[in-house]
Amino acid sequence: MSRGPVTDLWERVGRLEAQHGALALQTAVARHDLAGALHHAGRLTEAEEQYHLAFEGLARRYGGTHPFSLVCLNNLALVLRDQGRWDEALGLLGTVRNGRTALFGPAHPLTLNAANNALVVLVRRGDLAAAAREYPGLLAACEETFGPDDAGTRAVRRDYAHVLDRIGRQREAARLMDTATGRSVSAVLLGCARLLRYTGLFPVAMTASRYGADLTLGAHRGGRTDLADGNELNDDDLGIGCRVVGPRNRQAPYDPGLDLRETSDRVADAVGALGEHLREAEHALGQGRLRVRVFVHHEHWPRLSDPPSLTVDRRRMSARDRARHDRLLRSTAHTPVSVRGAPGPRRRLTGRRDGFSVVFAQAPHVIVSTVIGLDRRPAPSPFEA
């Protein structure tokens, strides 16, 4: 059995503690790294203990308000957050924010990071009204420090819009996202295709729009990287968040010995082909008119389909724009397909179908549809498409 990072870090801490002492700086730094690895592995109680010890060593050397000490407190707060200890986490993050404000000023990236972490805790605790009061100040500071189109600013704007939507202020959420410079959904999809091709991991879930994408990839024997359960691989420029899950870490587990790379590559081809098609559609329809959300659909979820299909959810688009998109598709190399058990596209008054289920010439093994799976998902909100 191969050694893991946690085992190596435990041994390193033990050696440094024996050589320099439990509170020595070298030991504290190694202990902080160990705590991070334990947190990543989900061993929260051990991570909390190691962060406490690391902070004690750092504070002894530098003082409790030194930047290094505050980083340790921030990370300890995130462990407490993941344990559901909201008040303790908020207390520590308040200490971190105040310390960083005194050191760097209120608009410094590290100060804003602590403020954002505190808002995440408020949201996860369910205190949405309080979060909605705090988000405008954070968003304004991020726009001032990073610029309105920075990936971090866009993430804060999106999170704020989600909070507004959840407390019934949908119009404000829509206006907030309409003022944002949305990405191109085609660029986001091409970024997802690159991640799928690079990793060779199985697309358990994917939801993509002009605002970014969430990807969940399943580890298997044929993956091209050493990414494993719990790892993350993100593209901040495109707003793509990607996490990896293991075969057993699922409601419906799959065989860990499967080699799913061929299927992964076929889905990557289809995502890429769809991205290229939607790039033409964006140009043809005009800026802001292609309001779509694309997701991976597994017919018998939570069991995985091999391969899954791709669904283009166009319910935020007008009937006229959907018709124009359908006409554009007819000029793209494709083959229509009939999907058993799935509702077919509705007929318009003209007699033509509204929508399509096809396979693209560049990706003949994966169905791309505007109808499959829509009955299982609510229509996207204004800031989801």
Side-chain angles (χ1 to χ4, degrees), residues 145-202:
T145 299
F146 304 115
D149 298 331
D150 176 77
T153 304
R154 290 196 298 259
V156 170
R157 187 183 295 113
R158 184 179 63 248
D159 292 343
Y160 179 25
H162 275 291
V163 169
L164 291 175
D165 182 65
R166 289 175 63 184
I167 61 176
R169 294 161 60 180
Q170 285 85 5
R171 289 190 177 183
E172 292 175 72
R175 284 198 300 269
L176 181 66
M177 295 310 294
D178 283 342
T179 62
T181 303
R183 304 173 181 85
S184 159
V185 64
S186 61
V188 173
L189 285 174
L190 292 172
C192 291
R194 286 192 295 271
L195 276 176
L196 287 166
R197 178 69 70 173
Y198 167 70
T199 63
L201 299 181
F202 188 84

Side-chain angles (χ1 to χ4, degrees), residues 246-319:
R248 302 301 182 193
N249 186 17
R250 289 195 27 76
Q251 183 179 347
Y254 57 94
D255 184 354
L258 289 175
D259 184 343
L260 300 169
R261 183 164 53 187
E262 183 177 20
T263 299
S264 303
D265 288 345
R266 287 175 172 178
V267 174
D269 290 342
V271 172
L274 178 59
E276 295 287 356
H277 165 69
L278 292 183
R279 180 159 58 188
E280 296 180 20
E282 286 169 326
H283 178 73
L285 295 178
Q287 184 175 6
R289 305 198 69 87
L290 185 70
R291 304 290 295 273
V292 300
R293 177 178 62 181
V294 178
F295 59 87
V296 163
H297 175 69
H298 297 272
E299 180 61 29
H300 301 291
W301 182 264
R303 284 198 297 115
L304 301 181
S305 302
D306 185 12
S309 58
L310 298 178
T311 300
V312 184
D313 189 338
R314 306 188 300 177
R315 285 176 285 182
R316 294 299 309 176
M317 292 173 60
S318 68

Side-chain angles (χ1 to χ4, degrees), residues 277-278 280-282 284-286 289-290 314 317-334 345 348-358 360 370:
H277 165 69
L278 292 183
E280 296 180 20
E282 286 169 326
L285 295 178
R289 305 198 69 87
L290 185 70
R314 306 188 300 177
M317 292 173 60
S318 68
R320 180 184 178 188
D321 285 337
R322 292 198 305 270
R324 293 175 64 198
H325 181 207
D326 289 346
R327 288 196 297 270
L328 177 66
L329 177 78
R330 290 196 287 274
S331 65
T332 303
H334 71 279
R348 304 191 191 98
L349 293 177
T350 61
R352 286 195 176 275
R353 295 286 187 180
D354 182 4
F356 52 82
S357 293
V358 303
F360 288 112
T370 61

